[in-house]
Amino acid sequence: MARLVVKRKHSIHRFRRSPLPASKPVEVVSPPVELWAYAVERYPERRIELVDGRVVIKPMPGKIHNQIVFALLRVLMPLLAERAWEGWGDITLFFGVHEDRFRPDLTVVPREPRMWSDDHVHADEALMVVEVVSPSSVQDDHEYKPGRCAKGKVPLYLVIDPAQEIVRLLSQPTEDGYDDEVKVPLGEKLSLPAPFDLVLDTAQLLA
């Protein structure tokens, strides 16, 4: 019996005094927004997004990508000047403090949009968001981002996909997505509804 008592006391002593092993630190999982903020600070020269809880470092745009964005901006410029709108090539859409952070290829906004910070514009202030699809962004640009932009009350979401040679225009945003979609082959004409009321000849994007 004495032997048993000694063993129990020894066990209690070890239980009270033994520290956690140094090789097994407590794991702390940071919220996605904090990871995004860290990546933005760590790589200030890159375009970094938070998409569906994922930190996405966008690849540097290539020649065709830049040409399409420039061509679209050139087509829209007379309308932007007439209505005192602006086309921003690198701004973050703000959906909420703990929500996604998108940096579209082009965002059309009024002259003085409501800002959350110097580099964040409220999503419902955007008049149109444009994404030029790259090989790494196909699913996000075509599937996830439209739903989030619709919920954020972005009136128009334009997707230009040079690989598939199509242009999609999504409009009439609701909580469940866009109610209307028009898709045309890249090179054909596409009508942009209010507030633009403009017929876009997508062939000009290829010039």
Side-chain angles (χ1 to χ4, degrees):
M1 179 64 68
R3 185 179 180 184
L4 178 60
V5 172
V6 171
K7 184 176 181 181
R8 289 181 62 190
K9 287 182 177 180
H10 180 65
S11 298
I12 292 173
H13 174 78
R14 290 182 58 194
F15 175 77
R16 289 178 177 174
R17 298 288 183 88
S18 297
L20 289 173
S23 60
K24 295 182 180 180
V26 177
E27 182 179 2
V28 178
V29 180
S30 299
V33 172
E34 290 186 12
L35 295 176
W36 167 84
Y38 170 79
V40 170
E41 182 179 359
R42 179 69 175 80
Y43 305 102
E45 74 285 357
R46 301 299 299 271
R47 298 180 65 181
I48 301 175
E49 297 184 312
L50 181 61
V51 182
D52 194 21
R54 293 174 289 113
V55 175
V56 178
I57 300 179
K58 302 183 74 170
M60 298 299 291
K63 176 184 176 182
I64 294 177
H65 185 284
N66 281 310
Q67 287 178 329
I68 290 175
V69 173
F70 176 73
L72 177 61
L73 190 57
R74 184 172 54 190
V75 170
L76 295 177
M77 192 58 69
L79 181 66
L80 302 185
E82 175 188 332
R83 302 190 182 180
W85 295 347
E86 297 180 358
W88 291 352
D90 194 11
I91 195 72
T92 299
L93 291 181
F94 179 72
F95 297 101
V97 175
H98 301 291
E99 302 294 331
D100 289 316
R101 298 287 203 281
F102 298 165
R103 293 175 73 172
D105 294 309
L106 182 64
T107 304
V108 179
V109 296
R111 174 70 57 86
E112 294 293 339
R114 185 166 49 97
M115 306 292 292
W116 184 69
S117 66
D118 185 60
D119 58 352
H120 281 63
V121 61
H122 283 269
D124 58 3
E125 287 288 286
L127 301 170
M128 181 170 68
V129 162
V130 181
E131 292 286 9
V132 178
V133 181
S134 63
S136 63
S137 68
V138 175
Q139 185 171 4
D140 286 339
D141 290 346
H142 277 294
E143 298 178 19
Y144 181 76
K145 288 184 178 180
R148 190 65 192 86
C149 285
K151 192 172 182 179
K153 300 180 181 179
V154 176
L156 299 178
Y157 182 92
L158 183 67
V159 188
I160 304 170
D161 191 330
Q164 297 188 48
E165 298 184 348
I166 60 171
V167 180
R168 297 173 63 208
L169 177 66
L170 307 173
S171 60
Q172 301 179 21
T174 71
E175 284 290 316
D176 299 321
Y178 287 99
D179 274 352
D180 190 67
E181 175 181 354
V182 178
K183 181 166 63 176
V184 301
L186 185 58
E188 293 191 5
K189 294 182 178 181
L190 176 68
S191 294
L192 302 181
F196 287 81
D197 299 313
L198 172 73
V199 176
L200 173 65
D201 184 0
T202 65
Q204 294 179 296
L205 305 182
L206 303 174

